[in-house]
Amino acid sequence: MVADKEQIMIESQLKVVGKILSAFSHELNNHLAVIKESAGLIEDILNFNKSFKGAGKENLKAFQSIENHITNTSWLCEQLGNFGHKMDEPLASFDVNESINELLVLLGRIAKQKGIIFEKDFQDNVPLIYSNPSKLQFLIFCFIDKNLNRFERNGSIIFKTSYSHSSITIKILTRGEVTETGERDICPDEIHEYVARRLRGNIVREDGGIAITLPVSISSEADAHD
Amino acid sequence: MFGKKKDIKVLLVDDEVEFVDTLAQRLKMRELLVDTVYDGKQALSFIKKTEPDVIVLDLKMPELHGIDVLREIKKSKAHIQVIILTGHGTDKDEEEARKLGGFDFLRKPADIDLLVAKIKEAFAEKLERAMTAITFAEEGVTDTAKRIIRKEE
């Protein structure tokens, strides 16, 4: 009973975090939209008004730069918002490639700091799957985190997806010199297996990586004691 | 082909006053006829009096959600084109908006040139539909006339 309540509490907490993330990123987007339109209006005035022609070239470049940065920031906000929304429902239809990509975008800064490169080799036209998107992202995050701590600069983490026989396989492979950073993994190995089982999938550990295989559709998550 | 930009009447509906006013100025500079309202209720009473060609509609607004506004517009004035422009859009919202007959779904902040292009596309589609309706109506009249003539013969 206590364990059930604990489980409900953790899931509710995650939903709260997701809601705050998505609401916050949307709010940021609103402010960015006002900034973009205001910068755009000044740019328009410089462009449309003949008396500003010539004198405004440098200004126009600056406004273009503002607009580009707003566009990039807004796109990052959108990724953060989508990430937050993944916690809305326990089961949903989603695109695996898109979900991995979203995670890689959000972890881009950490990877850059550590000098690790993310490489993608996604199969095209992978069908949408019906499963728990936030748990899958969590599982993939665990492997990324583990490898970010294991490799020296210029190492790579490679993500491959493929679809066959009603299941999707996500391979996470690594390349580079292994090092000991002393940093502890956020999530212990046994949790990886546990999460994969909950998603009715399995994990195969191979040389230099892992392969997660998931069914295309599940009607519910497996019981914790399965 | 479908007339000048000045012919296109646009209604902007958004509760972010600063955003909507600035956007209106920019669209006017691009020779569109623009009106603004700041919530869904105002939008619905506006279209009772005046008919814009294209409505650019936000989703998350106080009192009436954009999806409900879209539903109401499509019930009473289905020929008005609606483009959703939102900072709060989920894939679910997009699916719902398209199902209800929304012309397009853009996320804030959108590029002004893209927005203008979408407005023009929406207007062109509105005109095309109106032309098709007139043609059908004319064909209907002709058929009726022919039937009357045949009867008289």
Side-chain angles (χ1 to χ4, degrees):
Chain A
M1 198 64 179
V2 174
D4 286 350
K5 280 203 173 141
E6 193 68 22
Q7 176 77 14
I8 293 168
M9 186 188 73
I10 291 168
E11 280 176 10
S12 309
Q13 265 182 319
L14 273 180
K15 275 188 189 167
V16 169
V17 171
K19 218 165 201 159
I20 289 172
L21 278 181
S22 47
F24 180 72
S25 63
H26 292 154
E27 194 50 28
L28 272 181
N29 249 345
N30 271 334
H31 289 290
L32 287 171
V34 176
I35 298 169
K36 187 178 164 91
E37 291 314 323
S38 304
L41 179 61
I42 300 171
E43 197 182 340
D44 283 351
I45 293 167
L46 290 174
N47 263 331
F48 284 84
N49 194 325
K50 279 182 188 155
S51 58
F52 287 116
K53 283 259 161 81
K57 239 184 178 178
E58 282 308 307
N59 293 332
L60 284 179
K61 237 166 102 182
F63 284 119
Q64 199 56 56
S65 165
I66 293 171
E67 279 198 29
N68 291 344
H69 280 282
I70 291 167
T71 305
N72 293 343
T73 314
S74 163
W75 183 72
L76 286 171
C77 281
E78 204 181 304
Q79 304 297 307
L80 189 64
N82 291 343
F83 175 75
H85 278 302
K86 295 244 171 357
M87 296 169 207
D88 288 350
E89 301 289 338
L91 291 174
S93 279
F94 63 97
D95 184 315
V96 168
N97 291 347
E98 213 175 86
S99 299
I100 299 174
N101 206 36
E102 191 178 282
L103 201 56
L104 300 187
V105 168
L106 296 174
L107 293 173
R109 171 55 55 184
I110 304 177
K112 206 172 169 186
Q113 270 171 357
K114 301 209 173 209
I116 304 289
I117 301 152
F118 292 145
E119 291 177 30
K120 291 177 283 184
D121 180 8
F122 294 160
Q123 184 181 320
D124 289 336
N125 305 321
V126 165
L128 296 181
I129 72 167
Y130 189 74
S131 188
N132 184 320
S134 70
K135 278 214 175 71
L136 177 62
Q137 284 187 324
F138 168 65
L139 185 58
I140 294 168
F141 171 83
C142 291
F143 289 111
I144 296 174
D145 175 63
K146 193 180 175 70
N147 288 313
L148 283 176
N149 295 336
R150 274 182 62 217
F151 282 88
E152 286 199 3
R153 295 186 79 79
N154 297 322
S156 299
I157 308 177
I158 305 131
F159 300 85
K160 287 186 175 190
T161 56
S162 56
Y163 165 71
S164 69
H165 303 108
S166 306
S167 63
I168 301 246
T169 301
I170 304 158
K171 284 190 179 174
I172 305 174
L173 309 167
T174 51
R175 197 186 313 133
E177 296 290 319
V178 177
T179 184
E180 204 42 73
T181 58
E183 284 186 59
R184 287 181 57 190
D185 298 340
I186 287 178
C187 159
D189 280 5
E190 60 264 31
I191 294 296
H192 306 167
E193 315 290 344
Y194 176 78
V195 177
R197 271 206 312 277
R198 295 271 291 171
L199 299 176
R200 299 184 188 272
N202 70 303
I203 295 176
V204 176
R205 289 173 200 274
E206 304 170 328
D207 265 354
I210 55 120
I212 308 163
T213 303
L214 297 170
V216 168
S217 177
I218 60 174
S219 51
S220 66
E221 285 184 36
D223 189 81
H225 307 294
D226 278 359
Chain B
M1 182 184 179
F2 292 110
K4 291 178 219 149
K5 271 193 268 181
K6 270 260 190 233
D7 299 332
I8 309 177
K9 285 181 274 171
V10 181
L11 175 67
L12 300 181
V13 189
D14 198 311
D15 62 317
E16 294 285 337
V17 177
E18 214 178 321
F19 169 76
V20 85
D21 287 351
T22 316
L23 182 60
Q25 266 179 280
R26 297 192 74 195
L27 292 176
K28 281 175 190 168
M29 285 172 123
R30 284 162 178 80
E31 301 195 313
L32 295 162
L33 295 169
V34 186
D35 282 297
T36 52
V37 291
Y38 306 113
D39 64 51
K41 275 189 179 169
Q42 283 179 24
L44 293 177
S45 37
F46 183 95
I47 63 165
K48 274 183 194 160
K49 291 175 255 156
T50 318
E51 274 201 16
D53 299 301
V54 182
I55 297 180
V56 177
L57 178 67
D58 185 23
L59 285 186
K60 288 241 166 98
M61 293 181 288
E63 289 192 66
L64 213 49
H65 192 277
I67 289 288
D68 298 319
V69 180
L70 172 62
R71 192 176 290 117
E72 286 305 312
I73 294 168
K74 288 294 166 185
K75 247 191 243 169
S76 56
K77 310 231 165 148
H79 54 282
I80 299 178
Q81 299 280 38
V82 180
I83 296 171
I84 302 292
L85 176 61
T86 180
H88 301 263
T90 62
D91 291 345
K92 229 177 179 175
D93 290 330
E94 181 167 356
E95 202 185 314
E96 179 79 9
R98 288 190 191 278
K99 222 187 275 172
L100 287 169
F103 178 79
D104 214 328
F105 194 97
L106 301 177
R107 285 182 171 86
K108 277 185 197 169
D111 182 71
I112 189 82
D113 294 329
L114 175 72
L115 180 61
V116 172
K118 292 290 175 193
I119 290 171
K120 282 160 80 179
E121 270 176 45
F123 180 64
E125 196 187 276
K126 186 193 171 210
L127 283 190
E128 217 168 290
R129 276 190 203 167
M131 300 281 263
T132 313
I134 290 168
T135 311
F136 274 123
E138 278 175 352
E139 278 171 7
V141 171
T142 315
D143 289 345
T144 315
K146 277 180 188 165
R147 270 201 305 275
I148 293 167
I149 293 166
R150 256 185 248 129
K151 256 189 185 174
E152 281 178 356
E153 280 171 356

